[in-house]
Amino acid sequence: MPQTIPLWPKGQTPHLPESAPEGDDPTLTLYRPRSASGPACVVCPGGGYGTRAAHEGEPIALWLNTLGIVAGVVSYRHAPRYRHPVPLTDALRAVKILREKAPECGADPRKIGILGFSAGGHLASSAATLFSTPDERPDWAVLVYPVIALDGPAAHVGSKNNLLGNKPDPALVKSLSTHTRVTKNTPPTYLVHTADDPVVPVMNSLLFAQALAEKSVPFGLHVMAHGPHGIALGRPDLPETLTWTGSCAAWLKAIGMLPL
């Protein structure tokens, strides 16, 4: 059975106003496989920073369990009540908490990943590039049709506005376009996109992949010819979209996160 735990002790949640309604405290819901193989992963559902998509939460955790990966779905805070840096604060805390709990879950604290979809992909890429301490740093990342750019032709304006407001400082917008924040310390990353995504252009994944290549960070890039935005684990009526999970698992084996 899943176990939901708070990210912070009661009364210590940062950026939580006294007037916040009950239930605004962020949580991490843990899903444990029958037999853990080493890694654990924070899952960040998408939703344009205005909601959290259910089909990019629990179903993803259950798929990770089939690989022997302990999964934790993070209920990060979002618009309209919360903007940057609140979602990132929640995601980084989730990485830290999952790392602390890894031994009791049968996982390896040196193999903590983060996986995000769409705006959750932006959040995951932010965690992978903007961490402050070693215990916040993911050891690997998977970004599925991620929002990466917040300005320029590839930007997803809705996510930007929900995260930063309608008239954000251009310097802040650029600094949170996560391809500009990749360094040699960014963890190995696997990117997934469809070439004709009509909502978040594939250029988002290509920009991040290029930045990884320039910094010699190991990465994988799985671009499918056709498919709408929001496919999650894939759609049976679009067989090609079902292929990314297998190739992702193979990549995790290749970088030593899963046993061969």
Side-chain angles (χ1 to χ4, degrees):
M1 291 293 291
Q3 175 193 10
T4 298
I5 59 176
L7 290 185
W8 280 274
K10 188 172 180 61
Q12 297 182 29
T13 303
H15 311 297
L16 189 69
E18 293 183 4
S19 60
E22 187 174 351
D24 266 22
D25 288 277
T27 61
L28 188 68
T29 301
L30 298 175
Y31 295 79
R32 305 186 189 194
R34 292 183 178 180
S35 179
S37 61
C41 183
V42 172
V43 177
C44 303
Y49 281 119
T51 187
R52 293 185 303 273
H55 74 297
E56 295 168 350
E58 182 175 67
I60 309 307
L62 295 175
W63 164 64
L64 290 169
N65 284 175
T66 69
L67 302 177
I69 298 174
V70 176
V73 179
V74 59
S75 64
Y76 61 90
R77 289 167 287 173
H78 54 72
R81 287 196 292 275
Y82 300 98
R83 302 194 190 278
H84 177 74
V86 178
L88 179 58
T89 300
D90 292 344
L92 292 174
R93 177 69 173 181
V95 171
K96 182 178 180 180
I97 291 295
L98 192 57
R99 178 165 279 122
E100 291 173 354
K101 289 194 167 291
E104 69 182 68
C105 295
D108 187 338
R110 300 166 299 178
K111 294 184 176 182
I112 306 301
I114 192 163
L115 186 159
F117 296 80
S118 193
H122 181 268
L123 182 55
S125 69
S126 297
T129 55
L130 301 175
F131 56 87
S132 298
T133 61
D135 57 357
E136 291 179 342
R137 178 187 179 272
D139 299 301
W140 51 277
V142 175
L143 310 178
V144 187
Y145 42 86
V147 174
I148 297 295
L150 297 185
D151 62 358
H156 186 251
V157 176
S159 293
K160 179 191 73 173
N161 291 347
N162 279 335
L163 183 63
L164 301 176
N166 292 331
K167 295 183 179 180
D169 180 349
L172 179 62
V173 174
K174 182 176 181 179
S175 73
L176 292 177
S177 294
T178 54
H179 63 292
T180 70
R181 307 304 298 271
V182 170
T183 71
K184 61 182 178 62
N185 293 320
T186 300
T189 302
Y190 192 77
L191 297 121
V192 178
H193 228 112
T194 56
D196 57 356
D197 187 323
V199 177
V200 177
V202 68
M203 185 56 67
N204 283 269
S205 283
L206 300 181
L207 286 169
F208 202 85
Q210 180 180 1
L212 293 167
E214 289 173 351
K215 299 297 183 181
S216 299
V217 176
F219 72 95
L221 176 62
H222 187 98
V223 178
M224 297 165 283
H226 301 294
H229 191 69
I231 58 171
L233 294 174
R235 286 177 32 175
D237 61 323
L238 298 169
E240 188 192 14
T241 66
L242 299 170
T243 62
W244 78 262
T245 53
S247 61
C248 179
W251 180 81
L252 288 171
K253 292 178 181 179
I255 65 167
M257 290 296 151
L258 284 176
L260 295 174

